[in-house]
C-alpha cells in the first residue's frame, strides 16, 4: 500500500539524512500517522521535545492535519505552557533566551514560508547547521522539504563534524550563523563542499568574513538574511557588503517597512508572529547609518556598563575582526571591583600568524576606541565555543 500524498509544502522526493541514515517520505508518512492519532487524542497543544529532523517533519504534518498547536521544544524537559491554547493549527517556537527567559512565539505556515523562494530542486543538498526547532532551522527544513532536496543533519554536531559531513555528502547549500561560518572555514582541510549557495543569519555579518567566503566559494551565491522569531523572515542582502542599503529605511524592502527609533531598528512585517496586529516591532538591534549604508552596531540589551559608560561588545568585536590575522573573536564582560565591569577578548589567530605582531596590531586597532571599550585582557585561543543556536555565548552584560 502506497503512503498518502504529502501536503503541498512537502515535495514527495524529499530525502533526510540524519546520523548517516536516509529517510524518505514513505517513512515520514508512517510516523505522521502515529503522531496524528496521538495529537487528536491530546487535543489543543502538544509539545515535541528534540528528537531529530524526521520526527519533527512528521509532527508538523500531523499537527496540521489534526489542527493542534505544536510546540517545537528546544529543551528535552519542556512542558506545555499554562497559557490557554488558541484554536487551530499553529507552530510555537521558543526564542533563544540569550537575554532573558525564552518566550513562546506563535506562527502559521503562511508566515513561516513567507520568504521561501524557488521551485523544485532535487539536486540540492542542504546542511542543517541550526537547531531544528529554532526559527532559522525550521526555515532551512521547510526550504528543503518544498524543493524535494536532500537535507543532511547530525544532532549535536559541531562545526568540525559538520564540515566533514558537508564534504562527504557534497553539500550545495548551507545557511548558518557568521560564528559557525568562521569555525567552518577553519575546519576545512583542503577539500571543500561544492557550495552554490552560502547564507548567513542570526548575527552580524562582518565584511572580512563576507570577503573570505566570497574568496573561498567564488561561484556560490552569497547573501546574509535578517530575521527574528518574533518578526519572521524580513529581508536578504546579496551585494556582498555588510549591513544593508540605507535607502531601505525610507522605501522598505520585500513588503517590510524599516525605520530607526533612537538608533534602534523597528520593522513592520507581514510575516510577524500570530497575535501581532500589525504596526511596528522593535528588533532591539542598534543601527548606524554611514553614507549609503545602514550598519548593525550591536544589541541594545547587550551593552555593558564599564565605569558608568555603556559599551557594545559586538562593536568592539567588529573592530577585532577587521584586524588582519584575526580569524574570530569574542568580546564579553568580566566583573571588576573598580569599574563594575571590564571587557575581555578571546581571539583566534589565522594559521601561521605571529602572536607578538598580532597583539601589536590589536592594540593599534583598539586605540581609537573610548577607554571603556578597550579590552583589558586579550587571550589567544584555537577556537571559540558556540551555543546550541550556533551563536557565541556572552556573559556579564549589564
Amino acid at each position: 500500500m502506497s503512503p498518502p500524498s504529502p501536503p503541498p509544502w512537502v515535495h514527495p522526493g524529499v530525502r533526510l539524512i540524519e546520523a548517516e541514515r536516509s529517510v524518505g517520505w514513505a517513512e515520514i508518512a508512517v510516523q505522521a500517522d502515529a503522531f496524528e492519532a496521538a495529537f487528536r487524542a491530546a487535543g489543543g497543544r502538544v509539545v515535541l521535545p528534540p528528537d531529530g529532523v524526521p520526527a519533527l517533519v512528521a509532527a508538523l504534518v500531523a499537527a496540521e492535519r489534526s489542527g493542534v498547536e505544536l510546540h517545537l521544544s528546544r529543551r528535552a524537559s519542556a512542558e506545555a505552557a499554562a497559557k490557554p491554547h488558541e484554536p487551530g493549527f499553529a507552530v510555537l517556537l521558543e526564542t533563544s533566551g540569550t537575554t532573558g527567559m525564552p518566550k513562546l512565539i506563535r506562527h502559521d505556515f503562511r508566515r513561516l514560508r513567507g520568504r521561501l523562494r524557488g521551485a523544485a530542486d532535487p539536486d540540492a543538498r542542504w546542511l542543517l547547521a541550526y537547531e531544528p526547532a529554532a526559527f532559522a532551522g525550521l526555515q532551512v527544513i521547510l526550504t528543503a522539504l518544498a524543493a524535494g532536496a536532500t537535507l543532511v543533519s547530525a544532532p549535536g554536531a559541531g562545526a568540525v563534524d559538520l564540515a566533514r559531513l558537508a564534504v562527504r555528502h557534497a553539500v550545495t547549500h548551507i545557511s548558518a550563523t557568521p560564528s559557525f561560518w568562521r569555525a567552518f572555514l577553519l575546519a576545512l582541510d583542503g577539500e571543500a563542499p561544492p557550495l552554490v549557495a552560502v547564507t548567513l543569519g542570526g548575527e552580524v555579518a562582518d565584511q572580512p568574513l563576507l570577503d573570505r567566503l566570497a574568496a573561498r566559494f567564488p561561484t556560490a551565491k552569497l547573501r546574509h538574511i535578517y530575521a527574528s522569531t518574533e518578526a519572521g523572515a524580513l529581508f536578504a542582502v546579496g551585494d556582498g557588503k555588510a549591513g544593508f542599503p540605507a535607502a531601505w529605511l525610507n522605501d522598505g524592502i520585500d513588503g517590510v517597512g524599516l525605520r530607526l527609533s533612537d538608533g534602534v531598528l523597528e520593522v513592520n512585517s507581514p510575516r510577524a508572529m500570530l497575535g501581532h496586529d500589525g504596526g511596528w516591532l522593535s528588533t532591539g538591534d542598534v543601527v548606524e547609518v554611514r553614507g549609503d549604508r545602514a550598519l548593525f552596531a550591536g544589541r541594545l540589551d547587550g551593552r555593558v556598563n564599564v565605569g558608568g559608560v555603556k559599551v557594545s561588545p559586538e562593536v568592539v568585536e567588529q573592530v577585532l575582526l577587521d584586524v588582519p590575522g584575526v580569524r574570530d573573536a569574542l568580546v564579553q564582560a568580566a566583573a571588576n571591583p573598580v569599574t563594575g565591569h571590564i571587557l575581555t577578548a578571546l581571539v583566534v589567530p589565522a594559521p601561521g600568524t605571529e602572536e607578538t605582531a598580532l597583539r601589536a596590531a590589536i592594540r593599534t586597532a583598539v586605540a581609537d576606541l573610548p577607554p571603556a571599550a578597550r579590552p583589558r585582557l586579550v587571550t589567544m585561543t584555537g577556537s571559540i565555543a558556540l551555543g546550541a543556536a550556533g551563536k557565541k555565548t556572552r556573559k556579564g552584560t549589564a
Side-chain angles (χ1 to χ4, degrees), residues 152-163:
V152 179
S153 63
V160 173
D161 290 334
L162 288 176

Side-chain angles (χ1 to χ4, degrees), residues 6 10-16 22-26 28 57 122 141 143-151:
V10 179
H11 190 286
V14 70
R15 185 167 70 118
L16 311 177
S22 182
V23 177
W25 167 246
I28 294 170
V57 174
I141 293 169
T143 299
L145 291 175
T150 297
L151 178 66

